[in-house]
Amino acid sequence: MLLKSNLMNKKKILLGITGGIALYKVLELCSRLVKKDYDLRIIMTENAKEFVSPLTFETMGRTKVYSEMFHKGHHDLVEHIELVKDIDAFIIAPATANFIGKAANGIADDLLSSAFLAYNGSVLFAPGMNDNMLSHPATQKNIEQLKEWGHEFIEAQIGRLACNTVGKGRMAEPEDIVPVLEKKMTVKDLRHKKIIVTAGPTVERIDPVRYLTNDSSGKMGYAIAEQAWKRGADVLLISGPTSLKSHWPTEYIHSTNELMRKIDEYFDDADALIMAAAPSDYRPKVRYDQKIKKKDQDLILELEENPDILMYFAGKKSHQKLIGFAAETENLMENARIKKEKKSLDYIIANDITQKGAGFNVDTNICTIIGDDVEKLDLMSKKDLADRILDLL
């Protein structure tokens, strides 16, 4: 009974697979979706089965694969109707020129194209084909028709194609498809909100080869930006140097002064500033144009204070909500409350970075949200914490 209940609560995704060489990437897509605990339904075209057997996708997707419009056995369920019922998302990957053409012209000559016509929602297409086929006027006209009807496309990438030429036609990578798919399934409760999120460290140059920075990975800020983007916000991420990938509008900076200037460009029109970045409090008083040479004596490096970004924008705000972070190693609540009051923040997210699972470079956090009230949160993923923070808006 519990298993059935959990299955009913899972998001349901219908994956349509057509016959293109990019189909091999869809195996990874299946794996990623299963690991995220989505309930997959899969339809393969007859051409797709020429590339990979249905058994492989049944194993990877942990589900039955449907392909035949007419088959032996009972037809008590009309499959092209039943498979699109109660689904949360429908994606075609790879979407070949042939299938895009059929979809745009109402041709329903197999199970997948019939299911497409029976579905009354927006379908996500991930095209994959030769660049000449993609750029052909017929394909472009068909894509525009589908977009006009409200369907969405994940743009094909430029790279080496199966025909051994380089061009635009590579199906997007699974790691890029999953966030777009998740965005489609997320309630857009932050639509029309303009949110600035900052993330990562700042870098203060000493000379051309050395700098001061900190251990911030940017994971918390990127998680907030991603969830805001999925929830329909007009989000701008301003990021220091990280190894993370962004699927939403992002500006990149290095120094604390650059971060403040970049926020200032967008602050007046914003509804909220969520300051998850870890800007350096100090910078070298002198920045050397040439590499400092090692000498047989100590080097004294004089530092000067950087501007306090949140203090600056607290003095500028009119309608904006300001949310800051307090990453502390001692006296957590006392230090966080002082910071909140001093910087006129609406909320401060306090975390003791000495706790296991709450420091830098991890995917979890343990926090206390301090606003008018205090809410202590247990260990959770940074994605879940991001949603709790965005709920404050």
Side-chain angles (χ1 to χ4, degrees):
M1 188 66 182
L2 180 62
L3 180 62
K4 182 178 180 182
S5 175
N6 287 341
L7 190 61
M8 290 175 64
N9 292 330
K10 288 183 179 182
K11 293 280 188 181
K12 300 179 180 64
I13 298 172
L14 177 58
L15 172 60
I17 305 171
T18 69
I21 191 62
L23 185 150
Y24 75 93
K25 292 184 182 179
V26 185
L27 289 169
E28 183 188 342
L29 178 61
C30 278
S31 177
R32 287 176 177 267
L33 294 174
V34 168
K35 287 176 181 176
K36 285 177 170 284
D37 208 28
Y38 292 117
D39 178 15
L40 283 184
R41 304 173 183 181
I42 298 176
I43 300 176
M44 293 181 72
T45 65
E46 291 299 321
N47 287 340
K49 289 160 63 177
E50 295 294 324
F51 288 87
V52 178
S53 75
L55 177 60
T56 306
F57 279 101
E58 287 183 343
T59 304
M60 295 295 290
R62 300 178 187 175
T63 188
K64 180 179 177 181
V65 170
Y66 298 86
S67 59
E68 298 178 11
M69 189 73 174
F70 306 102
H71 55 82
K72 295 178 181 179
H74 295 287
H75 284 264
D76 50 333
L77 297 178
V78 183
E79 289 166 342
H80 64 281
I81 304 296
E82 293 298 323
L83 286 171
V84 298
K85 281 186 178 179
D86 304 321
I87 59 172
D88 297 285
F90 188 174
I91 177 171
I92 311 293
T96 59
N98 179 58
F99 187 83
I100 289 171
K102 291 201 295 185
N105 290 280
I107 297 172
D109 61 354
D110 63 6
L111 183 60
L112 183 57
S113 55
S114 298
F116 172 80
L117 283 187
Y119 183 58
N120 60 8
S122 171
V123 174
L124 183 62
F125 288 82
M129 65 193 78
N130 172 268
D131 56 336
N132 289 333
M133 298 175 73
L134 180 61
S135 62
H136 194 284
T139 305
Q140 290 300 308
K141 180 180 178 182
N142 291 330
I143 289 173
E144 289 307 311
Q145 177 62 76
L146 291 168
K147 287 181 177 179
E148 186 180 321
W149 289 340
H151 302 295
E152 299 177 41
F153 283 75
I154 302 176
E155 192 168 351
Q157 300 173 341
I158 297 173
R160 186 164 295 279
L161 306 175
C163 54
N164 206 32
T165 61
V166 175
K168 185 175 181 180
R170 286 176 61 90
M171 190 185 86
E173 299 301 320
E175 64 178 322
D176 298 322
I177 293 173
V178 171
V180 178
L181 190 56
E182 290 182 322
K183 183 182 181 182
K184 282 184 68 66
M185 296 187 289
T186 304
V187 175
K188 304 301 183 286
D189 58 349
L190 291 177
R191 194 185 299 276
H192 307 307
K193 292 285 187 184
K194 294 182 178 180
I195 302 173
I196 300 171
V197 182
T198 68
T202 59
V203 169
E204 303 295 344
R205 279 282 165 194
I206 299 170
D207 65 17
V209 297
R210 302 180 182 92
Y211 54 83
L212 300 176
T213 189
N214 56 64
D215 285 330
S216 175
S217 65
K219 287 184 175 183
M220 189 70 250
Y222 274 69
I224 295 169
E226 179 173 358
Q227 295 310 107
W229 172 71
K230 288 177 181 176
R231 290 168 67 165
D234 181 2
V235 62
L236 171 67
L237 175 65
I238 303 176
S239 174
T242 76
S243 61
L244 304 174
K245 180 178 283 191
S246 167
H247 300 279
W248 42 88
T250 304
E251 300 270 4
Y252 296 95
I253 54 85
H254 286 88
S255 71
T256 297
N257 275 320
E258 287 177 12
L259 176 60
M260 189 168 77
R261 288 195 297 268
K262 186 59 67 175
I263 296 171
D264 215 6
E265 288 182 31
Y266 299 95
F267 185 74
D268 289 345
D269 292 330
D271 295 298
L273 168 61
I274 303 177
M275 191 73 182
S280 299
D281 294 325
Y282 296 91
R283 66 179 182 267
K285 195 166 188 176
V286 176
R287 176 175 172 176
Y288 295 87
D289 293 330
Q290 303 297 327
K291 178 184 175 183
I292 302 171
K293 296 297 183 182
K294 185 176 180 180
K295 300 177 181 179
D296 293 331
Q297 62 186 45
D298 292 340
L299 173 68
I300 297 174
L301 188 65
E302 191 174 359
L303 304 179
E304 61 183 356
E305 193 172 12
N306 269 322
D308 190 311
I309 293 177
L310 279 173
M311 285 275 285
Y312 173 78
F313 288 105
K316 283 196 68 173
K317 76 173 184 176
S318 53
H319 62 286
Q320 294 91 346
K321 295 286 187 183
L322 294 187
I323 299 177
F325 282 74
E328 303 290 344
T329 59
E330 60 181 356
N331 303 323
L332 175 66
M333 297 302 292
E334 179 184 353
N335 289 336
R337 283 194 171 98
I338 291 171
K339 186 175 181 179
K340 177 181 181 296
E341 295 306 316
K342 181 181 178 182
K343 301 185 181 186
S344 301
L345 303 179
D346 295 282
Y347 300 94
I348 193 161
I349 316 301
N351 66 306
D352 180 350
I353 59 173
T354 65
Q355 286 186 283
K356 185 177 180 180
F360 295 117
N361 292 301
V362 294
D363 295 321
T364 57
N365 216 333
I366 305 170
C367 289
T368 299
I369 298 177
I370 304 173
D372 294 334
D373 301 313
V374 175
E375 182 183 10
K376 292 186 177 181
L377 303 175
D378 294 326
L379 180 71
M380 64 174 62
S381 70
K382 285 182 174 173
K383 175 183 173 182
D384 288 339
L385 177 58
D387 277 321
R388 296 294 286 271
I389 293 169
L390 292 168
D391 289 343
L392 301 173
L393 304 180

